[in-house]
Amino acid sequence: MECSFFSSKYMPMSEIARLERTNSSQFSSFRPLVEVKSTPHFSSCRGISPKASHSSTPNYSYVPKQAVSSVDEEKLGAGNLLYQINGTNSSLFSRNLRILDSFDDEYGGVIVDSERLPANSNVFASMLSFSISHWKSKGKKGIWLKLPVEKSDLVPVAIKEGFEYHHAERGYVMLTYWLPEGPSMLPANASHQVGVGGFVINDKNEVLVVLEKYCAPQFVGLWKIPTGFIVESEEIFTGAVREVKEETGVDTEFLEVVAFRHVHNVAFEKSDLFFICMLKPVSTHIMVDDHEIQAAKWMPLVEFVEQPLIQQDCMFKKVIDICIERLGKRYCGLSVHQVASTFDGKTSSLYYNVIDSQHNNCIGN
C-alpha cells in the first residue's frame, strides 16, 4: 500500500483526493527526511479514503525545505516539501504543486504575475490546475492570465484548463477564467477604435487637403482632410495635430472638436469613433508623407466644398457645413480642458462648450 502524508494546514480535502489518483505512484519508494512528533495530519492511502487524525506516538512526515511565513505557507500549499526518492532529494512534486505567483485585483479577482511564470509547460499545467482549485476555495472571481510571446507554448495548456481569449497585442495574449457559477462578469475587450480628422484653414480661406495613395475605388480623386487613428495613451487633440503633421508637414494648433461620428461593425467587427477637429495652422510649407499620401495642397474652401463626392454624401456635406458655421462664429465646438478627479487621482481631458463673449470666439444661437 502506498501512502503519503500531508499536514492539514497545507492541503484541502479535494486536492488530497486528486493527488491520490494522480501522484501516489510517483512516490512508492521513499523515506522521510525528518521525524516529527505528534503532528495533526491527513493520511492519504491508495484505496483508502483520506481521514484526519492526531497521534501521540512518533510519526514520519514531510517538512518544508525552510521555514516560511503564513503568507508563504498559503502560497506554497502542499507543494514546497522535500522528498527523498530512491536515495535522491527531489523537488519535482514541490514545484508542480505551488500556487502561481499572483496578486489580487480590486474586484475580487486574481492577476497572475506574467514575469514569474514557469518555463516548463508540464510544470505550468500542474501549477495552473492547483492554483485554480486554490482560488476557487478562496472565493475568487475572475483570473487574468497574460502570456508573453516568448511563452506562447503555455497558451494551449491554459485553454485546456478552461481559459478563454480576451485580447491580444503585439507582445502578449490575455486570457481569462471566470470561477463562479453563471455568466462571466469580467469586462469585455475594447469595443472601439478612435480616429481623428483635422480641418485646417488659413487666412486665405484655403483648406489643407490630401489625396490618399491607397483608398477605396469610390474615393479615388477625392481631396479630403488629413485623417488617422490615435495611438495608445494619446489624447484626441494631440492625435489630430500629429496626423496633420505626419501627412502634410504642416504644424497646427488645436482649437476645438466640432463634431464626432459613431458607427459600428467597421474593422474586425469593432465600432468606430471619429472626431473632426478644427486646427489653426502655424506653418504653411507642405512636405508630403509619400508612404500614405499621393499629394497635399491648400485648396480654396469653395472648390473643396463643390467636389461631387462631398456634395453627394450627406455626412461629408454636413461635416463641412458645421465647419463653415464655426468659421462664421455661428456654431460653438468643444474645447479641451484639463480637469483632475478624486475618483482615480488622474488629470483628464474634458471637452465642453464655452461661449466666450469676451474674445468673441463664438456667438452661439
Side-chain angles (χ1 to χ4, degrees):
M1 180 168 59
E2 301 166 5
C3 298
S4 57
F5 297 90
F6 305 92
S7 167
S8 61
K9 69 193 292 185
Y10 285 112
M11 182 66 65
M13 294 284 287
S14 60
E15 196 59 34
I16 294 172
R18 188 179 74 81
L19 293 174
E20 178 186 352
R21 295 192 300 271
T22 59
N23 291 316
S24 59
S25 62
Q26 300 180 31
F27 303 99
S28 57
S29 175
F30 63 80
R31 59 187 177 87
L33 296 178
V34 179
E35 182 177 0
V36 180
K37 296 179 183 292
S38 187
T39 304
H41 61 271
F42 284 111
S43 173
S44 176
C45 302
R46 201 165 195 170
I48 301 176
S49 298
K51 61 182 181 180
S53 65
H54 283 77
S55 174
S56 59
T57 58
N59 288 283
Y60 287 106
S61 181
Y62 299 108
V63 297
K65 298 178 189 176
Q66 58 185 7
V68 294
S69 67
S70 59
V71 174
D72 291 333
E73 281 183 354
E74 180 180 344
K75 180 181 172 190
L76 295 175
N80 201 21
L81 308 176
L82 265 178
Y83 294 85
Q84 195 167 66
I85 305 172
N86 296 326
T88 305
N89 288 344
S90 173
S91 60
L92 175 61
F93 192 54
S94 168
R95 291 196 305 271
N96 288 3
L97 292 183
R98 286 178 53 230
I99 305 297
L100 288 168
D101 289 296
S102 64
F103 49 92
D104 294 340
D105 64 23
E106 57 184 314
Y107 304 104
V110 175
I111 301 174
V112 178
D113 189 344
S114 61
E115 296 183 357
R116 302 186 67 180
L117 293 169
N120 183 280
S121 60
N122 292 327
V123 173
F124 173 72
S126 297
M127 292 179 68
L128 183 61
S129 178
F130 186 71
S131 298
I132 291 172
S133 297
H134 172 77
W135 291 325
K136 279 184 178 179
S137 70
K138 293 294 182 182
K140 297 299 181 182
K141 295 180 180 179
I143 305 173
W144 296 87
L145 176 61
K146 180 180 178 180
L147 296 178
V149 169
E150 58 270 21
K151 293 189 178 177
S152 58
D153 59 318
L154 304 182
V155 172
V157 178
I159 295 296
K160 188 175 181 180
E161 278 291 338
F163 278 79
E164 297 179 346
Y165 291 109
H166 187 268
H167 69 274
E169 295 290 348
R170 182 173 297 180
Y172 70 88
V173 60
M174 181 69 78
L175 305 171
T176 60
Y177 189 113
W178 183 248
L179 293 169
E181 296 293 333
S184 172
M185 300 300 291
L186 293 174
N189 182 27
S191 59
H192 286 67
Q193 62 183 15
V194 181
V196 289
F199 186 85
V200 186
I201 190 162
N202 62 20
D203 295 335
K204 299 177 182 179
N205 230 24
E206 296 173 328
V207 182
L208 181 62
V209 294
V210 297
L211 196 63
E212 291 190 334
K213 184 174 290 188
Y214 309 102
C215 62
Q218 64 267 32
F219 298 130
V220 172
L222 173 66
W223 290 93
K224 56 182 284 294
I225 63 175
T227 60
F229 293 107
I230 64 171
V231 298
E232 186 175 356
S233 300
E234 185 177 38
E235 298 282 0
I236 292 170
F237 68 94
T238 56
V241 170
R242 175 188 54 78
E243 281 292 341
V244 171
K245 176 68 174 179
E246 288 179 353
E247 293 189 0
T248 69
V250 175
D251 295 305
T252 60
E253 175 187 333
F254 173 83
L255 297 176
E256 295 173 345
V257 170
V258 293
F260 68 90
R261 180 206 66 176
H262 191 201
V263 66
H264 307 288
N265 298 318
V266 177
F268 304 103
E269 301 178 359
K270 297 297 182 182
S271 299
D272 181 89
L273 283 168
F274 181 74
F275 292 85
I276 298 97
C277 302
M278 181 78 73
L279 306 177
K280 176 184 177 181
V282 293
S283 70
T284 58
H285 178 68
I286 292 176
M287 186 167 55
V288 172
D289 172 19
D290 55 10
H291 293 290
E292 299 181 34
I293 304 301
Q294 182 176 333
K297 67 179 181 179
W298 291 99
M299 175 183 277
L301 178 59
V302 174
E303 184 181 338
F304 173 66
V305 173
E306 289 178 351
Q307 292 183 96
L309 284 173
I310 289 181
Q311 289 296 318
Q312 295 166 8
D313 188 278
C314 293
M315 191 191 67
F316 274 154
K317 191 173 185 305
K318 186 62 178 178
V319 168
I320 300 306
D321 287 345
I322 291 172
C323 292
I324 292 174
E325 289 295 301
R326 180 63 189 91
L327 291 173
K329 300 180 182 180
R330 295 180 296 272
Y331 174 90
C332 302
L334 306 176
S335 54
V336 62
H337 306 266
Q338 301 301 312
V339 181
S341 172
T342 57
F343 283 100
D344 55 15
K346 296 180 179 180
T347 299
S348 302
S349 295
L350 186 63
Y351 295 80
Y352 57 88
N353 178 299
V354 175
I355 299 178
D356 191 348
S357 57
Q358 180 181 355
H359 294 90
N360 201 28
N361 282 333
C362 179
I363 299 173
N365 295 324

